[in-house]
Amino acid sequence: MGTVFATVDDLAGAVGRHLGWSDWMEITQDRVNQFAEATGDHQWIHIDAERAAAESPYGTTIAHGYLTLSLTNKFLPSLITVEQISMGINYGVNKVRFPAPVPVGSRLRVGAELSSAEEIPGGVGAVITITVEVEGSPKPACVAESLTRYMR
């Protein structure tokens, strides 16, 4: 489960703290296909299960890296809550890496660590290092430094 902070001022004292792990979520071919439709990325390694089984080194279709990254926004609210704010703003990412593939049918979960929290006008800017795990994989599927602004 995640971590709850009463105010933005509580973030500074928690830098370096692990915020928790999300529940597991299965990556389905339907989700991958919907992402391909939404983005126009129809590369066969994502959507052609028959060809992927025959030609891909993974033996199956794999999720798009950016699908994996986008799912961090689904998981992050279960890992960190900051109360008594007017809003939270997704400010971007500093660094993103995709060390391992996400085979369709595998399960993902996300862990997060509060890497920094600095005062900004009207609130606190936080860097949250997000790690996306694939169940049974020795390497993470994605590691990203997510930037969030929590406004008073």
Side-chain angles (χ1 to χ4, degrees):
M1 288 313 231
T3 303
V4 177
F5 296 95
T7 71
V8 295
D9 298 320
D10 296 334
L11 292 169
V15 170
R17 181 173 169 187
H18 194 269
L19 303 172
W21 289 96
S22 71
D23 291 334
W24 291 99
M25 182 183 85
E26 183 178 352
I27 298 302
T28 64
Q29 187 65 57
D30 185 54
R31 184 180 292 273
V32 172
N33 291 347
Q34 287 179 23
F35 190 83
E37 274 304 308
T39 62
D41 182 350
H42 295 96
Q43 190 175 151
W44 66 267
I45 62 171
H46 304 303
I47 62 168
D48 189 336
E50 186 175 302
R51 184 174 177 189
E55 298 179 32
S56 168
Y58 312 113
T60 187
T61 50
I62 60 172
H64 305 73
Y66 285 116
L67 169 56
T68 304
L69 176 62
S70 70
L71 289 172
T72 64
N73 281 338
K74 173 181 176 39
F75 289 114
L76 199 56
S78 71
L79 300 179
I80 181 170
T81 300
V82 182
E83 298 174 333
Q84 299 180 35
I85 60 171
S86 63
M87 69 180 123
I89 301 169
N90 176 350
Y91 196 65
V93 291
N94 279 338
K95 187 168 37 171
V96 178
R97 299 290 182 266
F98 303 108
V102 177
V104 166
S106 62
R107 295 190 333 149
L108 300 180
R109 74 174 181 171
V110 169
E113 179 180 309
L114 182 61
S115 299
S116 72
E118 297 183 7
E119 195 69 30
I120 59 169
V124 171
V127 176
I128 301 169
T129 301
I130 299 171
T131 302
V132 181
E133 284 190 348
V134 177
E135 190 173 39
S137 175
K139 291 183 181 180
C142 178
V143 179
E145 292 179 359
S146 177
L147 310 177
T148 303
R149 292 191 163 191
Y150 295 102
M151 308 309 289
R152 289 187 176 85

